[in-house]
Amino acid sequence: MIAVEPEPYLRARAEHAAANAAVPVKVVDGVADHLHVDDQSCDAGVASLVLCSVHDQAAALAELHRVIRPGGELRFYEHIRSDSPRFARFQRVIDVVWPHVAGGCHASRATLDAIEAAGFTIEHARRFTFRPS
């Protein structure tokens, strides 16, 4: 298993956690839109709170699509734009400031649409609100 983390502090924390993992995990320096992994060499890809903050969401998803073998899976835990027009407007408004104080996180991205545009088929997505948002 390979874990990619560009931020040095978080990478060190991930390396510490990997040392105690039930399966072997190699933590590497890198970014989502340039994975040092061969084409179609992964059974699965996991994006956890990364697609909201990458500079180019489409490039990161294209890279995941490149490395996941046919029939493999992309699992994700991500911020996605609300189905509620009122809350979606709120997300767009806070995105004026939020990315500057929250590590580049954009709350209003249409992440589900981007995942499908990258060539993935979404079989299931469970939405929930995160309080106190």
Side-chain angles (χ1 to χ4, degrees), residues 1-4 35 37 40-48 50-51 60-61 63-69 71-78 115 120:
M1 181 179 299
I2 299 169
V4 179
L35 301 173
V37 179
Q40 300 181 357
S41 63
C42 298
D43 293 327
V46 176
S48 179
V50 65
L51 296 175
L61 285 162
E63 189 69 348
L64 281 164
H65 196 268
R66 178 186 70 79
V67 302
I68 298 172
R69 68 168 172 75
E73 294 185 354
L74 170 64
R75 298 290 178 119
F76 59 93
Y77 178 81
E78 294 289 340
I115 290 169
F120 294 102

Side-chain angles (χ1 to χ4, degrees), residues 66-115:
R66 178 186 70 79
V67 302
I68 298 172
R69 68 168 172 75
E73 294 185 354
L74 170 64
R75 298 290 178 119
F76 59 93
Y77 178 81
E78 294 289 340
H79 297 113
I80 55 176
R81 183 183 303 150
S82 177
D83 280 340
S84 160
R86 183 174 174 211
F87 196 75
R89 276 192 303 277
F90 170 74
Q91 288 174 305
R92 284 191 299 274
V93 168
I94 66 166
D95 266 357
V96 172
V97 174
W98 188 246
H100 302 287
V101 298
C105 172
H106 294 79
S108 68
R109 288 186 173 171
T111 301
L112 293 179
D113 294 340
I115 290 169

Side-chain angles (χ1 to χ4, degrees), residues 18-29:
N20 300 312
V23 296
V25 178
K26 179 180 179 184
V27 180
V28 298
D29 183 10

